[in-house]
Amino acid sequence: MFILETLRLYTPVYTGFIRDIGKEATLGKLTGLDGVQCHIPFIMIHHDPKIWGEDVHAFKPERFLDGIAKATNNNPTAFMPFGMGHHICAGSNFAINEAKITIAMILQRYSLTLSPGYVHAPHPGLTLRPAYGIQIILNAL
């Protein structure tokens, strides 16, 4: 739940994806013409209060207690930190497993405290990363 909520708030691929509309299509009140490109930024979907609630900007891992479908009000396409469908990142499962193993190994040996000089500043680029690095203090257990 911790990892999923982190991926929702700080989507790894900040830019989202661009798709070409193959033929005229209508989505709600919008009509896309053949040949037009549609940009879908993941970060906007992951921060939509209509999907995630009024506390959309709060870090609440318990959102995912009953799975992604329940967290998104049965709209699993509202959570796509690594893309969706046949365009999903080939390394998404590796990234999730690597994160789980790394966090487990760190927490076995250390307690974590935010540095007093910590500045929360996500920096967008191709990927979203901390502008000033990870400012934490590791204390041996």
Side-chain angles (χ1 to χ4, degrees):
M1 293 183 307
F2 168 85
I3 292 171
L4 294 176
E5 181 69 347
T6 301
L7 289 170
R8 184 189 71 80
L9 285 171
Y10 306 106
T11 303
V13 180
Y14 184 79
T15 56
F17 59 80
I18 298 173
R19 296 290 179 260
D20 291 325
I21 298 175
K23 60 181 180 179
E24 187 172 311
T26 302
L27 180 62
K29 296 179 183 177
L30 302 173
T31 299
L33 302 176
D34 181 19
V36 171
Q37 288 188 331
C38 178
H39 178 233
I40 302 170
F42 300 149
I43 196 87
M44 298 298 290
I45 296 167
H46 291 175
H47 287 82
D48 185 347
K50 291 176 191 164
I51 298 167
W52 302 97
E54 292 304 316
D55 58 354
V56 68
H57 299 293
F59 181 75
K60 290 179 55 181
E62 61 272 14
R63 288 179 210 276
F64 293 95
L65 185 62
D66 296 319
I68 293 171
K70 181 81 170 184
T72 60
N73 296 317
N74 293 317
N75 185 3
T77 59
F79 180 70
M80 52 181 139
F82 295 103
M84 182 66 61
H86 63 278
H87 291 286
I88 196 164
C89 173
S92 61
N93 287 330
F94 174 75
I96 296 284
N97 286 327
E98 183 181 33
K100 288 177 184 178
I101 291 167
T102 302
I103 291 167
M105 291 178 71
I106 290 170
L107 293 178
Q108 286 177 20
R109 295 174 178 82
Y110 301 97
S111 65
L112 309 174
T113 309
L114 278 178
S115 170
Y118 173 76
V119 176
H120 185 71
H123 179 73
L126 178 60
T127 60
L128 190 62
R129 61 183 180 81
Y132 307 110
I134 301 173
Q135 301 171 3
I136 56 173
I137 299 168
L138 298 174
N139 300 302
L141 295 176

PDB file of all heavy atoms in Angstrom, residues 18-25 31-39:
ATOM      1  N   ILE A  18       1.458  10.106 -24.971  1.00  0.00           N
ATOM      2  CA  ILE A  18       0.813  10.766 -26.106  1.00  0.00           C
ATOM      3  C   ILE A  18       0.321   9.679 -27.046  1.00  0.00           C
ATOM      4  O   ILE A  18       1.054   8.750 -27.367  1.00  0.00           O
ATOM      5  CB  ILE A  18       1.793  11.703 -26.829  1.00  0.00           C
ATOM      6  CG1 ILE A  18       2.242  12.814 -25.874  1.00  0.00           C
ATOM      7  CG2 ILE A  18       1.154  12.285 -28.087  1.00  0.00           C
ATOM      8  CD1 ILE A  18       3.334  13.710 -26.433  1.00  0.00           C
ATOM      9  N   ARG A  19      -0.918   9.808 -27.477  1.00  0.00           N
ATOM     10  CA  ARG A  19      -1.489   8.840 -28.416  1.00  0.00           C
ATOM     11  C   ARG A  19      -2.104   9.594 -29.588  1.00  0.00           C
ATOM     12  O   ARG A  19      -2.676  10.673 -29.431  1.00  0.00           O
ATOM     13  CB  ARG A  19      -2.582   7.998 -27.749  1.00  0.00           C
ATOM     14  CG  ARG A  19      -2.068   7.123 -26.624  1.00  0.00           C
ATOM     15  CD  ARG A  19      -1.209   5.976 -27.154  1.00  0.00           C
ATOM     16  NE  ARG A  19      -0.710   5.174 -26.082  1.00  0.00           N
ATOM     17  CZ  ARG A  19       0.514   5.255 -25.576  1.00  0.00           C
ATOM     18  NH1 ARG A  19       1.361   6.132 -26.046  1.00  0.00           N
ATOM     19  NH2 ARG A  19       0.888   4.454 -24.608  1.00  0.00           N
ATOM     20  N   ASP A  20      -1.987   9.004 -30.765  1.00  0.00           N
ATOM     21  CA  ASP A  20      -2.628   9.553 -31.955  1.00  0.00           C
ATOM     22  C   ASP A  20      -4.061   9.034 -32.020  1.00  0.00           C
ATOM     23  O   ASP A  20      -4.300   7.850 -31.799  1.00  0.00           O
ATOM     24  CB  ASP A  20      -1.894   9.110 -33.224  1.00  0.00           C
ATOM     25  CG  ASP A  20      -0.521   9.744 -33.346  1.00  0.00           C
ATOM     26  OD1 ASP A  20      -0.373  10.902 -32.929  1.00  0.00           O
ATOM     27  OD2 ASP A  20       0.397   9.072 -33.849  1.00  0.00           O
ATOM     28  N   ILE A  21      -4.986   9.927 -32.303  1.00  0.00           N
ATOM     29  CA  ILE A  21      -6.379   9.520 -32.483  1.00  0.00           C
ATOM     30  C   ILE A  21      -6.503   9.016 -33.918  1.00  0.00           C
ATOM     31  O   ILE A  21      -6.229   9.744 -34.865  1.00  0.00           O
ATOM     32  CB  ILE A  21      -7.340  10.692 -32.212  1.00  0.00           C
ATOM     33  CG1 ILE A  21      -7.179  11.141 -30.748  1.00  0.00           C
ATOM     34  CG2 ILE A  21      -8.777  10.300 -32.520  1.00  0.00           C
ATOM     35  CD1 ILE A  21      -7.973  12.367 -30.389  1.00  0.00           C
ATOM     36  N   GLY A  22      -6.850   7.746 -34.064  1.00  0.00           N
ATOM     37  CA  GLY A  22      -6.895   7.116 -35.383  1.00  0.00           C
ATOM     38  C   GLY A  22      -8.088   7.503 -36.220  1.00  0.00           C
ATOM     39  O   GLY A  22      -8.042   7.523 -37.435  1.00  0.00           O
ATOM     40  N   LYS A  23      -9.188   7.803 -35.569  1.00  0.00           N
ATOM     41  CA  LYS A  23     -10.399   8.238 -36.270  1.00  0.00           C
ATOM     42  C   LYS A  23     -11.152   9.148 -35.319  1.00  0.00           C
ATOM     43  O   LYS A  23     -10.850   9.211 -34.127  1.00  0.00           O
ATOM     44  CB  LYS A  23     -11.254   7.043 -36.682  1.00  0.00           C
ATOM     45  CG  LYS A  23     -11.720   6.174 -35.524  1.00  0.00           C
ATOM     46  CD  LYS A  23     -12.531   5.001 -36.026  1.00  0.00           C
ATOM     47  CE  LYS A  23     -12.973   4.145 -34.833  1.00  0.00           C
ATOM     48  NZ  LYS A  23     -13.770   3.027 -35.220  1.00  0.00           N
ATOM     49  N   GLU A  24     -12.141   9.866 -35.826  1.00  0.00           N
ATOM     50  CA  GLU A  24     -12.885  10.777 -34.961  1.00  0.00           C
ATOM     51  C   GLU A  24     -13.455  10.014 -33.773  1.00  0.00           C
ATOM     52  O   GLU A  24     -14.036   8.942 -33.926  1.00  0.00           O
ATOM     53  CB  GLU A  24     -14.008  11.463 -35.735  1.00  0.00           C
ATOM     54  CG  GLU A  24     -14.691  12.537 -34.907  1.00  0.00           C
ATOM     55  CD  GLU A  24     -15.669  13.370 -35.710  1.00  0.00           C
ATOM     56  OE1 GLU A  24     -15.287  13.844 -36.794  1.00  0.00           O
ATOM     57  OE2 GLU A  24     -16.800  13.528 -35.227  1.00  0.00           O
ATOM     58  N   ALA A  25     -13.246  10.556 -32.586  1.00  0.00           N
ATOM     59  CA  ALA A  25     -13.708   9.901 -31.367  1.00  0.00           C
ATOM     60  C   ALA A  25     -14.288  10.942 -30.422  1.00  0.00           C
ATOM     61  O   ALA A  25     -13.849  12.089 -30.412  1.00  0.00           O
ATOM     62  CB  ALA A  25     -12.550   9.176 -30.707  1.00  0.00           C
ATOM     63  N   THR A  31     -14.467  16.085 -28.568  1.00  0.00           N
ATOM     64  CA  THR A  31     -14.397  15.326 -29.807  1.00  0.00           C
ATOM     65  C   THR A  31     -12.987  15.470 -30.364  1.00  0.00           C
ATOM     66  O   THR A  31     -12.491  16.588 -30.516  1.00  0.00           O
ATOM     67  CB  THR A  31     -15.416  15.836 -30.845  1.00  0.00           C
ATOM     68  OG1 THR A  31     -16.721  15.682 -30.288  1.00  0.00           O
ATOM     69  CG2 THR A  31     -15.330  15.056 -32.130  1.00  0.00           C
ATOM     70  N   GLY A  32     -12.338  14.348 -30.633  1.00  0.00           N
ATOM     71  CA  GLY A  32     -10.997  14.355 -31.207  1.00  0.00           C
ATOM     72  C   GLY A  32     -11.065  13.981 -32.670  1.00  0.00           C
ATOM     73  O   GLY A  32     -11.798  13.079 -33.065  1.00  0.00           O
ATOM     74  N   LEU A  33     -10.322  14.687 -33.463  1.00  0.00           N
ATOM     75  CA  LEU A  33     -10.323  14.441 -34.902  1.00  0.00           C
ATOM     76  C   LEU A  33      -9.206  13.494 -35.297  1.00  0.00           C
ATOM     77  O   LEU A  33      -8.175  13.417 -34.633  1.00  0.00           O
ATOM     78  CB  LEU A  33     -10.183  15.770 -35.652  1.00  0.00           C
ATOM     79  CG  LEU A  33     -11.263  16.817 -35.358  1.00  0.00           C
ATOM     80  CD1 LEU A  33     -10.939  18.107 -36.094  1.00  0.00           C
ATOM     81  CD2 LEU A  33     -12.622  16.297 -35.759  1.00  0.00           C
ATOM     82  N   ASP A  34      -9.399  12.801 -36.390  1.00  0.00           N
ATOM     83  CA  ASP A  34      -8.399  11.893 -36.930  1.00  0.00           C
ATOM     84  C   ASP A  34      -7.080  12.638 -37.113  1.00  0.00           C
ATOM     85  O   ASP A  34      -7.039  13.737 -37.647  1.00  0.00           O
ATOM     86  CB  ASP A  34      -8.895  11.355 -38.277  1.00  0.00           C
ATOM     87  CG  ASP A  34      -7.930  10.378 -38.905  1.00  0.00           C
ATOM     88  OD1 ASP A  34      -7.072   9.833 -38.179  1.00  0.00           O
ATOM     89  OD2 ASP A  34      -8.029  10.151 -40.123  1.00  0.00           O
ATOM     90  N   GLY A  35      -6.003  12.037 -36.626  1.00  0.00           N
ATOM     91  CA  GLY A  35      -4.676  12.622 -36.792  1.00  0.00           C
ATOM     92  C   GLY A  35      -4.243  13.547 -35.664  1.00  0.00           C
ATOM     93  O   GLY A  35      -3.096  13.966 -35.613  1.00  0.00           O
ATOM     94  N   VAL A  36      -5.139  13.862 -34.737  1.00  0.00           N
ATOM     95  CA  VAL A  36      -4.800  14.738 -33.614  1.00  0.00           C
ATOM     96  C   VAL A  36      -4.115  13.903 -32.534  1.00  0.00           C
ATOM     97  O   VAL A  36      -4.448  12.741 -32.323  1.00  0.00           O
ATOM     98  CB  VAL A  36      -6.075  15.405 -33.049  1.00  0.00           C
ATOM     99  CG1 VAL A  36      -5.796  16.155 -31.762  1.00  0.00           C
ATOM    100  CG2 VAL A  36      -6.679  16.328 -34.082  1.00  0.00           C
ATOM    101  N   GLN A  37      -3.137  14.498 -31.864  1.00  0.00           N
ATOM    102  CA  GLN A  37      -2.476  13.807 -30.768  1.00  0.00           C
ATOM    103  C   GLN A  37      -3.136  14.176 -29.444  1.00  0.00           C
ATOM    104  O   GLN A  37      -3.475  15.335 -29.213  1.00  0.00           O
ATOM    105  CB  GLN A  37      -0.996  14.170 -30.707  1.00  0.00           C
ATOM    106  CG  GLN A  37      -0.188  13.557 -31.825  1.00  0.00           C
ATOM    107  CD  GLN A  37       1.296  13.777 -31.621  1.00  0.00           C
ATOM    108  OE1 GLN A  37       1.715  14.747 -31.022  1.00  0.00           O
ATOM    109  NE2 GLN A  37       2.087  12.853 -32.142  1.00  0.00           N
ATOM    110  N   CYS A  38      -3.300  13.190 -28.599  1.00  0.00           N
ATOM    111  CA  CYS A  38      -3.918  13.368 -27.286  1.00  0.00           C
ATOM    112  C   CYS A  38      -2.850  13.112 -26.225  1.00  0.00           C
ATOM    113  O   CYS A  38      -2.220  12.053 -26.212  1.00  0.00           O
ATOM    114  CB  CYS A  38      -5.070  12.373 -27.153  1.00  0.00           C
ATOM    115  SG  CYS A  38      -5.896  12.442 -25.575  1.00  0.00           S
ATOM    116  N   HIS A  39      -2.629  14.086 -25.344  1.00  0.00           N
ATOM    117  CA  HIS A  39      -1.646  13.945 -24.266  1.00  0.00           C
ATOM    118  C   HIS A  39      -2.387  13.629 -22.977  1.00  0.00           C
ATOM    119  O   HIS A  39      -3.278  14.376 -22.570  1.00  0.00           O
ATOM    120  CB  HIS A  39      -0.832  15.233 -24.104  1.00  0.00           C
ATOM    121  CG  HIS A  39       0.150  15.168 -22.989  1.00  0.00           C
ATOM    122  ND1 HIS A  39       0.208  16.106 -22.007  1.00  0.00           N
ATOM    123  CD2 HIS A  39       1.102  14.259 -22.692  1.00  0.00           C
ATOM    124  CE1 HIS A  39       1.161  15.792 -21.153  1.00  0.00           C
ATOM    125  NE2 HIS A  39       1.713  14.671 -21.545  1.00  0.00           N
TER     126      HIS A  39
END
